[in-house]
Amino acid sequence: MAIIYLEEKRLFAISGDAVSYLFGFDERGLLKHLHWGRRVDSPGDFGAGFTGEGTANDPAVDILTEEYAPWGGMRFKEPCLKVSFADGTRDLVPVYREHRIRGDLLSVTFTDAHYPLELILFYRMMDGFDILERYAEIVNRGKEPFTIHRAASAEFHFPGTGWHQTNVYGQWAAEQRRFREPLGYGRKVLESRKGSTGHNHGPWFILDRNAGEEEGTVYFGALVYSGNFKTVFEVSPYGNTRVITGINDFDFAWVLRPGESFRTPAVLCGCTGGGFGAMSRGMHRIALKRLMPEEHRGEIRPVLYNSWEATYFDVTCQGQLALAETAAAMGVELFVVDDGWFGERHSDHAGLGDWYVNRTKFPSGLAPLVDGVKKLGMQFGIWVEPEMVNPDSDLYREHPEWIYRFEHREPTTGRNQLVLNLCEPAVAHYIVGVLSSLLSEHDIAFVKWDMNRAVSEPGALNLPPEDRQSVWYRHVLAFYGIVDELRRKFPRVVFEACASGGGRVDHGCLMRFDQFWTSDNTDALDRLEIQEGYSLMFPAKAMRAWVTDCPNFLNKRTIPLRYRFHSAMMGSLGIGGDLKKWSPQEREESAKMVAMYKEIRHVVQEGELYRLSTIGSGLAALQYVLSGESVVFALTRGERYGRELIPLRLRGLDRGKTYTVDIDGFAYDKSGGYLMESGITLHLPGDYASIMVRITEK
Ligand code: GLA
């Protein structure tokens, strides 16, 4: 682990175990990217060298692989930083001033050639993970404010053209659908303008030329941010490829006053020679060991029950207790009452904002339910959606001024609700206060934190007009601030991030929430694709998946219970069906599946994931490996008669060791080498056939 500065070459080399990242100053003092890839042991071989001037039409500065391009001079490429000064100048000339190496953190500081603007670039190689963290800070050292119009987190360079980018696309209940496409000349943008990350794309990038699941070079970077993001891929006419990622500059402006500083969200980036699989495992590892909130990071996630699909808004103390009893008998460990327990919340038309118990539904308050659940040996959890308000609520009647809106415009409702102006300190104070009461008055172990609409008419009327385009970033910072404060006050509580399912699945939330509600789509087959896309960047431990009723509420599909369980057992298992309607046989089978899950969940939640085969090919097969134990889930939609059975070659085993393979009670012994070369052959006849295979070292 090292950060080296070679004075004579004016070059920085940051190295992890297997990777290095190099950049240095050219003869004009511009900071030039030099290398990102395999570890370099003789950085002195590199040098930023001579850039020259280029031509009037093709200026060198436009072609140069700059570490963090400002907008200024003859630059026509996508910039990282764009500001305007009080006198109208909109041009930056950052000049190197100093650098510091403090432990694992490198900072390189620039000052504008004339204006008192300071730009600091930060780099940290995360010990043991080969993941580089990058972010930037802008400081106003002068006496007048200036405005930041764009401040990306980082810029990355990839030699030549011919790269492919991988991301996910989708919508509500159909998030996380993986795609890969070639990058052609010009700019391509993936972004969100919805105030949150949204269901459409992920705030991360993956680039490769010809990588496969387990081979080939893959570069990747994930933005630690939960709001409007923008990732620009630019294949320049000069034959180079760049990626710039950070806060979206759409409708963004931040006035930086004297003495203030502005820090961008961080990007966590890395590269691997082991294909998409190694990339995911690297990101899972750092999530499990370093990024997820520390208090609960090492805990195995309990089997959860959530009442949403069973009761929707028709929540009563008796009804919930009846569900709790059945859930407990199946082996559930955490019972969560979803929407509908508070205010006048009888549908999605009213009640949001009124975070007190509805006394008709709970005549003696929440206590009888919480106590009942605890007596059944389970923990109790609850749903909230704190950033929102229904116009039909006491909160809105009392504080109609607490929402985002523009003057002379009717604010648009979405799911009959409006977004609270978190930039108003009184609003943040109210949310912390009301949730603190809820959490201190009851023994609540789990909070599902929802966010069910995008932000529109983002007018924070409490801010001075010149500050109002900062609202997008301020909202996210305030949201983080509220969650952080609640976590500080209630460290025992586990928090789940939900935004109409997976609308806020990002590393900003991963660092504050213990898990995600992955999607509102609980169909076991659709889920396989959603879960695969999710697994690119996020770990199984943080992926909640429920077994629900059939026909499924969304697509009316009927799938065997066993398959539904296998699909949900690939993450942190939950149950979300209307248990009153489940037959005794179904309850019994469920109890067996839950017991089975408890035996293997440490492998799923903490093991290394190998995507052996993806549902796009007709067979979803995922393998989890933890020390000498391994589990494979294989699920098909329907096998065709006569199809040649292709063995699944296992991964992550020790070639020289012997393993017992247990396929539904049929067991045999084979060497790791055999299982990785020849594999296991599964016969899965019928529709929606699925199997769980256990592989245990002898
Ligand atoms: C969102 C969530 C669901 C459920 C409902 C409640 O859609 O994603 O899981 O909590 O809200 O209204």
Side-chain angles (χ1 to χ4, degrees):
M1 222 57 50
I3 303 173
I4 296 171
Y5 179 62
L6 297 183
E7 183 70 51
E8 67 286 6
K9 293 253 179 172
R10 301 190 70 206
L11 180 150
F12 298 95
I14 308 168
S15 296
D17 295 333
V19 298
S20 291
Y21 189 96
L22 272 68
F23 52 95
F25 293 100
D26 74 356
E27 84 293 351
R28 284 196 289 170
L30 296 168
L31 195 56
K32 185 172 165 182
H33 176 76
L34 297 173
H35 169 83
W36 182 19
R38 263 174 209 262
R39 189 188 157 98
V40 167
D41 290 316
S42 34
D45 292 345
F46 288 78
F50 183 71
T51 309
E53 290 298 328
T55 69
N57 287 304
D58 301 300
V61 82
D62 210 30
I63 305 170
L64 195 71
T65 58
E66 286 180 280
E67 268 298 289
Y68 192 82
W71 189 64
M74 293 282 267
R75 288 183 185 85
F76 307 99
K77 60 192 175 186
E78 184 78 15
C80 286
L81 184 62
K82 185 173 184 301
V83 304
S84 58
F85 294 102
D87 62 4
T89 295
R90 307 187 313 283
D91 183 271
L92 274 168
V93 184
V95 178
Y96 168 75
R97 206 183 70 218
E98 61 171 12
H99 71 266
R100 281 189 195 179
I101 299 171
R102 275 164 291 188
D104 60 355
L105 186 69
L106 165 68
S107 60
V108 188
T109 304
F110 303 79
T111 315
D112 183 81
H114 173 81
Y115 296 92
L117 175 148
E118 197 172 274
L119 163 68
I120 315 170
L121 304 182
F122 290 92
Y123 299 82
R124 173 187 279 124
M125 185 61 81
M126 295 173 104
D127 217 1
F129 299 103
D130 273 3
I131 296 282
L132 179 69
E133 180 187 23
R134 291 188 58 184
Y135 55 94
E137 195 170 305
I138 298 117
V139 188
N140 185 344
R141 298 267 177 224
K143 295 193 163 52
E144 281 181 306
F146 56 78
T147 304
I148 302 169
H149 297 282
R150 173 156 177 70
S153 294
E155 167 171 357
F156 301 92
H157 297 274
F158 305 90
T161 59
W163 293 91
H164 285 68
Q165 74 93 5
T166 295
N167 203 280
V168 289
Y169 74 97
Q171 57 188 52
W172 171 74
E175 316 82 331
Q176 305 283 0
R177 288 184 284 178
R178 180 179 179 174
F179 72 102
R180 177 176 178 267
E181 62 178 10
L183 289 172
Y185 288 104
R187 282 170 207 154
K188 156 141 196 140
V189 175
L190 292 180
E191 64 173 350
S192 163
R193 297 181 178 191
K194 293 182 164 173
S196 65
T197 326
H199 300 84
N200 304 136
H201 298 294
W204 34 265
F205 67 85
I206 301 173
L207 252 69
D208 78 287
R209 274 216 174 91
N210 48 17
E213 191 55 32
E214 295 297 336
E215 66 287 308
T217 303
V218 176
Y219 290 90
F220 54 94
L223 189 66
V224 185
Y225 189 54
S226 312
N228 286 0
F229 68 92
K230 180 172 167 184
T231 304
V232 181
F233 303 86
E234 185 171 41
V235 182
S236 83
Y238 308 108
N240 283 319
T241 303
R242 319 159 63 215
V243 175
I244 292 173
T245 187
I247 297 174
N248 202 337
D249 57 350
F250 173 78
D251 192 42
F252 173 79
W254 188 285
V255 177
L256 201 65
R257 298 192 166 76
E260 287 180 353
S261 59
F262 177 94
R263 181 175 283 192
T264 70
V267 190
L268 301 171
C269 56
C271 67
T272 168
F276 299 104
M279 169 197 76
S280 299
R281 287 187 291 280
M283 288 306 277
H284 298 169
R285 210 172 300 134
I286 194 168
L288 294 177
K289 301 254 180 279
R290 179 133 176 196
L291 303 180
M292 290 166 67
E294 208 177 342
E295 315 84 63
H296 302 291
R297 200 190 279 158
E299 289 168 11
I300 288 295
R301 298 290 179 263
V303 175
L304 165 160
Y305 175 81
N306 179 295
S307 64
W308 173 241
E309 286 190 32
T311 57
Y312 293 105
F313 298 98
D314 193 10
V315 171
T316 61
C317 189
Q318 279 322 310
Q320 295 292 310
L321 276 172
L323 287 168
E325 247 169 63
T326 320
M330 285 178 180
V332 167
E333 298 156 310
L334 165 65
F335 181 89
V336 183
V337 55
D338 207 278
D339 200 348
W341 59 269
F342 54 90
E344 290 306 316
R345 187 73 169 166
H346 308 292
S347 72
D348 61 18
H349 285 259
L352 285 181
D354 301 340
W355 301 110
Y356 44 82
V357 184
N358 180 299
R359 287 283 171 165
T360 316
K361 298 178 180 184
F362 295 90
S364 314
L366 272 184
L369 177 59
V370 180
D371 293 347
V373 164
K374 283 175 60 192
K375 269 197 204 104
L376 289 163
M378 298 184 291
Q379 294 181 305
F380 180 78
I382 202 157
W383 180 96
V384 290
E385 192 180 356
E387 295 152 87
M388 301 288 162
V389 66
N390 284 118
D392 185 359
S393 67
D394 292 344
L395 182 67
Y396 188 77
R397 280 183 283 274
E398 204 177 317
H399 287 293
E401 76 287 4
W402 273 10
I403 57 157
Y404 290 125
R405 65 177 185 88
F406 286 137
E407 298 282 16
H408 315 296
R409 293 279 183 261
E410 264 309 299
T412 314
T413 53
R415 208 195 189 206
N416 310 300
Q417 63 200 53
L418 297 164
V419 187
L420 287 172
N421 174 5
L422 298 197
C423 308
E424 165 60 61
V427 175
H429 189 252
Y430 167 77
I431 296 174
V432 171
V434 79
L435 293 184
S436 296
S437 308
L438 182 68
L439 295 177
S440 43
E441 282 161 23
H442 304 96
D443 190 0
I444 294 174
F446 176 93
V447 167
K448 179 180 177 196
W449 183 300
D450 213 335
M451 193 240 192
N452 277 313
R453 63 157 291 178
V455 178
S456 66
E457 293 101 1
L461 297 182
N462 61 316
L463 297 177
E466 66 273 20
D467 283 331
R468 292 199 186 153
Q469 280 180 287
S470 65
V471 57
W472 300 106
Y473 192 28
R474 284 186 203 277
H475 180 93
V476 178
L477 293 179
F479 158 61
Y480 287 167
I482 295 169
V483 177
D484 291 349
E485 189 170 345
L486 289 168
R487 290 201 77 112
R488 248 192 322 274
K489 289 173 87 168
F490 304 97
R492 284 184 46 245
V493 178
V494 166
F495 285 81
E496 177 176 79
C498 171
S500 298
R504 209 152 50 180
V505 174
D506 56 64
H507 284 80
C509 282
L510 184 79
M511 289 177 73
R512 290 185 170 76
F513 288 84
D514 306 286
Q515 60 186 55
F516 296 108
W517 174 227
T518 321
S519 175
D520 276 354
N521 187 336
T522 53
D523 173 80
L525 180 66
D526 284 0
R527 266 292 180 127
L528 297 177
E529 194 185 358
I530 294 170
Q531 294 180 175
E532 181 195 326
Y534 167 96
S535 77
L536 284 171
M537 286 284 156
F538 301 95
K541 186 183 248 187
M543 183 182 82
R544 251 317 152 185
W546 309 338
V547 174
T548 57
D549 296 339
C550 275
N552 183 270
F553 83 103
L554 270 178
N555 54 23
K556 312 295 173 219
R557 197 181 272 134
T558 297
I559 291 184
L561 190 62
R562 171 185 154 99
Y563 192 101
R564 280 181 268 154
F565 264 98
H566 282 153
S567 174
M569 283 161 80
M570 295 196 284
S572 288
L573 175 67
I575 297 176
D578 188 355
L579 302 181
K580 299 186 298 294
K581 296 191 186 134
W582 289 24
S583 68
Q585 290 79 358
E586 283 173 323
R587 293 182 195 181
E588 200 180 310
E589 190 181 346
S590 300
K592 281 194 189 136
M593 297 301 279
V594 168
M596 177 66 78
Y597 179 71
K598 287 178 181 170
E599 282 179 31
I600 54 98
R601 65 178 159 186
H602 58 289
V603 184
V604 171
Q605 295 184 16
E606 302 196 325
E608 304 249 287
L609 170 73
Y610 295 86
R611 290 178 291 256
L612 303 181
S613 171
T614 63
I615 190 63
S617 71
L619 171 72
L622 261 58
Q623 185 191 358
Y624 303 79
V625 183
L626 184 69
S627 311
E629 281 181 274
S630 182
V631 178
V632 173
F633 292 99
L635 300 87
T636 67
R637 182 172 187 163
E639 214 171 67
R640 271 178 298 124
Y641 178 76
R643 185 180 74 96
E644 206 181 319
L645 292 178
I646 301 165
L648 279 178
R649 291 166 66 189
L650 303 187
R651 299 276 182 178
L653 306 179
D654 190 330
R655 285 174 190 277
K657 291 198 166 140
T658 305
Y659 294 85
T660 302
V661 178
D662 183 333
I663 307 179
D664 252 355
F666 170 70
Y668 59 86
D669 290 351
K670 291 285 178 193
S671 69
Y674 174 89
L675 294 170
M676 288 172 45
E677 294 312 320
S678 264
I680 53 173
T681 306
L682 301 175
H683 184 39
L684 292 166
D687 288 339
Y688 303 116
S690 65
I691 207 158
M692 187 183 96
V693 182
R694 295 178 71 173
I695 301 109
T696 319
E697 192 184 306
K698 283 198 87 167

